[in-house]
Amino acid sequence: MVPTSTDPEPVSDPAVASSGHIDAPGLQVFVFALFFIFGGVTALNGVLMPKLKAIFALDYAEAMLVNTAFFAAYAVLSVPGAALVKRIGYMRGAALGLFAMLAGCLLFVPAATGATFGMFLLALFVLASGVTLIQVVANPLISLLGPARTASSRLTFAQGFNALGATLFPHFGAMLMLGGLADVNEGALSGAALESYRSASTQAIAHGYLMVAAALAVIVAVVWVNRNRISGEKREGGPILRSFNLLLRPRFAFGALCIFLYVGVENAMASLVVSWMVQPRVLGLDEMTAGTLLPWYWGGALVGRFAGSWVLRMVNAGKALACVAVAAIVLLALAVWTAGMSAGVAFLAVGLANAIMYPTIFSLACEGLGERAPDGSGVLCTMVVGGAVIPPLTGLLADTSGSLSLALALPAICYAVIGLFGWYARRPLGA
């Protein structure tokens, strides 16, 4: 994702001050691992949402509250979390974020025991709180681990690990959470059999997140041992809300809106992959098999980010953004107007069209901000809350229209607005 507004300023250490960056090559691997972890954990929502929908007999709008609970953490904790990192430093901030993620994973146990949808949403919010803090740490830190002239390249490369996590986690998550119960038709169950199915399903979800918790426990310990690895950090406080006056600048405000729409539509599409593929007119798959296709959606973003980092060196960023937005709309139209394999492939290929959108919107929105670029980054991080708004609205549209195909009109509108921003921002600011 992107740098946040509250980058702790590196700098009383002479080695840092003289080079303009932190000379700690080993930390790059650590930051890449952070991108991998929070990308993978976020992508698990695409597997979790349809399973909870079936367990609790939810409609689409209710099921999309999975995304609302997760991404609401960005709105609530992004700016306070950034202020906290300024005070305690990067490594301690990373340890705290990982610990919060660990706590969120453990909360899936009482959620499964009580078998209540609200407890699952609470667990997701706590988990996402940790993810938010990790992003506050990881995004600015990767820009400091090397020369400023190559910061953009490092950030794009790091986002590739984010996509790699998002590609791999759903595959194993589908096997753990959906595998053993894939052949059960919950619609045909009632009474004690239905309660037994729900209990087994929620326990399967809890076991999946317990495995993530075990891995996080090891990582938390390693990070805490290395909490003093970065020397010379300047830790400070100060006002944190003045960043939002940047929204008075038309170009930046347009870009912030597009970050909101992009994160929302990216996760709305991911959350609908399983539901789309199980439709008889598309592929008619069972939930487990459909869940294993989710990595293809995120895999498109993985390939596109590495390829896009090379392509963007040769083409205008604004025009490229407009083109991929149009491509996403065309793919949505193909998914709706065709059937079978072509409808399934077109839907998954939207992930490829998404690949360069986030970093390109970010860079175009922040162009010309100068020394206020860090403030702009913080506002854009807060706009990730779009992931809490667009998915349930898409679900509501599916419920009221009775059609997933008609519900894709909202993602198409989002992509159209993003395309307009790309065309609007195709010229350098002030040209």
Side-chain angles (χ1 to χ4, degrees), residues 157-220:
F157 189 70
Q159 288 172 341
F161 285 91
N162 180 281
L164 179 61
T167 302
L168 296 178
F169 273 52
H171 177 73
F172 295 104
M175 291 190 295
L176 289 170
M177 298 180 197
L178 307 178
L181 301 165
D183 297 329
V184 177
N185 179 12
E186 62 272 8
L189 301 176
S190 61
L194 179 59
E195 289 304 314
S196 177
Y197 164 77
R198 286 178 173 172
S199 177
S201 296
T202 55
Q203 290 299 325
I205 293 172
H207 291 160
Y209 279 97
L210 279 176
M211 294 186 68
V212 177
L216 287 172
V218 175
I219 299 171
V220 168

Side-chain angles (χ1 to χ4, degrees), residues 24-333:
L27 281 182
Q28 287 199 15
V29 176
F30 164 69
V31 178
F32 293 153
L34 291 182
F35 274 89
F36 177 82
I37 291 167
F38 73 70
V41 169
T42 302
L44 282 178
N45 291 347
V47 176
L48 182 63
M49 189 277 285
K51 194 59 184 174
L52 293 180
K53 181 177 183 295
I55 294 171
F56 296 106
L58 308 173
D59 58 29
Y60 283 109
E62 290 170 332
M64 285 293 190
L65 289 175
V66 165
N67 286 305
T68 301
F70 194 91
F71 287 97
Y74 285 88
V76 175
L77 296 168
S78 179
V79 173
L84 178 63
V85 171
K86 289 181 71 173
R87 287 174 171 81
I88 66 176
Y90 285 118
M91 298 301 287
R92 286 175 172 80
L96 183 59
L98 289 165
F99 183 79
M101 290 176 66
L102 170 61
C105 289
L106 293 177
L107 279 176
F108 278 90
V109 176
T113 302
T116 59
F117 185 51
M119 275 298 298
F120 278 104
L121 295 182
L122 175 61
L124 282 166
F125 181 83
V126 174
L127 175 61
S129 299
V131 172
T132 301
L133 190 54
I134 288 297
Q135 289 206 44
V136 168
V137 170
N139 292 313
L141 184 54
I142 192 63
S143 68
L144 292 174
L145 294 176
R149 68 179 183 278
T150 57
S152 178
S153 174
R154 289 193 303 279
L155 180 57
T156 301
F157 189 70
Q159 288 172 341
F161 285 91
N162 180 281
L164 179 61
T167 302
L168 296 178
F169 273 52
H171 177 73
F172 295 104
M175 291 190 295
L176 289 170
M177 298 180 197
L178 307 178
L181 301 165
D183 297 329
V184 177
N185 179 12
E186 62 272 8
L189 301 176
S190 61
L194 179 59
E195 289 304 314
S196 177
Y197 164 77
R198 286 178 173 172
S199 177
S201 296
T202 55
Q203 290 299 325
I205 293 172
H207 291 160
Y209 279 97
L210 279 176
M211 294 186 68
V212 177
L216 287 172
V218 175
I219 299 171
V220 168
V222 172
V223 174
W224 186 250
V225 168
N226 289 278
R227 62 189 180 278
N228 296 317
R229 178 72 183 276
I230 302 175
S231 60
E233 283 185 277
K234 182 182 178 182
R235 299 171 187 172
E236 59 182 26
I240 58 177
L241 296 180
R242 74 181 185 91
S243 303
F244 289 96
N245 65 16
L246 288 173
L247 292 173
L248 297 174
R249 304 188 184 193
R251 177 165 171 152
F252 180 82
F254 197 175
L257 170 63
C258 288
I259 290 290
F260 179 91
L261 296 177
Y262 169 71
V263 176
V265 72
E266 177 193 50
N267 287 281
M269 293 293 294
S271 296
L272 290 175
V273 167
V274 174
S275 297
W276 186 262
M277 298 303 173
V278 300
Q279 293 181 105
R281 80 162 189 88
V282 183
L283 296 179
L285 302 174
D286 61 77
E287 283 189 350
M288 178 190 172
T289 305
T292 62
L293 293 179
L294 185 57
W296 289 94
Y297 174 82
W298 294 113
L302 170 63
V303 172
R305 282 173 183 165
F306 287 122
S309 64
W310 175 74
V311 172
L312 285 171
R313 297 176 185 176
M314 301 177 288
V315 301
N316 179 277
K319 292 179 179 178
L321 179 61
C323 286
V324 294
V326 171
I329 295 172
V330 170
L331 288 168
L332 287 176

